[in-house]
Amino acid sequence: MSLDLPQIYTAMSRPRPNPVSRVYTNDGNRQSVEEIVHEPPFAAIEKKLQMNLKNELLPLLGSEVAVRLPATGLAMVGAYPTVISGQSAPGTSPALLISLRDKEGVRALMPKLVDALGFKGASSLAQTEKKEDTEMVSYLNAFSYAFVGNFLVLSGDAATVRQIVDSYLKRE
């Protein structure tokens, strides 16, 4: 799918009306208690990441977004479940692919994002693999990403990212 991420950000960041909380007293009179203030939806994320998404991240990203949701294990038409005891086979996890306008900018930003999202000191656990024009970075088996062509591939499963990288390198 193609998404205009800056336009989505702007639309979602528009302030919502602030309703006033009202309380009724025992005699039936209505009293205004307090105005409910809504925080913009991205404020908490920006605070945690210590960055302005609109100015620092969105200019680096393209408009193409793909989601990989393997059909195995979902019991869709013609597919039989392959999940045994709640565990899926290696390399069958969902993945998110986002086109990039500035690969080097995203490459420099990724360690900061990973640290900010709760993996403090994760850079010491990062394992990087480079093959041809791809680069895969995995943090144990908790999170992995790769630069494949002009795309960023994200998944919680290193085997899934490796499978996507290998398919790309085989021109599949």
Side-chain angles (χ1 to χ4, degrees):
M1 67 184 118
S2 181
L3 302 174
D4 185 338
L5 297 175
Q7 183 179 14
I8 292 169
Y9 178 92
T10 301
M12 291 181 71
S13 295
R14 285 192 188 116
R16 297 186 305 180
N18 291 333
V20 175
S21 178
R22 303 201 186 278
V23 176
Y24 290 90
T25 60
N26 287 339
D27 60 2
N29 292 327
R30 189 170 80 177
Q31 294 178 336
S32 295
V33 174
E34 63 183 57
E35 187 175 325
I36 300 171
V37 179
H38 291 285
E39 188 174 308
F42 297 109
I45 295 169
E46 290 177 336
K47 184 177 178 181
K48 181 152 182 85
L49 296 177
Q50 298 175 353
M51 70 177 349
N52 181 297
L53 295 176
K54 184 176 183 178
N55 297 329
E56 295 177 59
L57 178 63
L58 294 181
L60 306 175
L61 304 178
S63 61
E64 294 178 59
V65 177
V67 179
R68 176 187 186 259
L69 296 171
T72 57
L74 298 178
M76 298 179 85
V77 178
Y80 295 99
T82 59
V83 177
I84 300 170
S85 71
Q87 296 179 354
S88 59
T92 60
S93 296
L96 179 67
L97 292 83
I98 305 170
S99 65
L100 302 175
R101 288 188 185 138
D102 183 355
K103 185 192 300 190
E104 295 309 314
V106 173
R107 181 176 280 128
L109 195 60
M110 284 305 293
K112 177 182 174 185
L113 291 174
V114 171
D115 280 347
L117 289 172
F119 297 107
K120 291 287 183 203
S123 55
S124 64
L125 302 173
Q127 295 179 345
T128 303
E129 300 174 34
K130 293 182 181 184
K131 295 179 185 175
E132 295 181 29
D133 67 337
T134 67
E135 178 182 350
M136 179 178 154
V137 180
S138 60
Y139 298 88
L140 302 174
N141 200 25
F143 178 71
S144 297
Y145 65 89
F147 295 97
V148 178
N150 284 329
F151 281 85
L152 174 65
V153 179
L154 304 161
S155 180
D157 179 39
T160 296
V161 175
R162 185 170 288 107
Q163 184 181 53
I164 293 169
V165 168
D166 290 344
S167 294
Y168 170 80
L169 293 172
K170 292 176 187 175
R171 309 295 184 239
E172 295 175 348

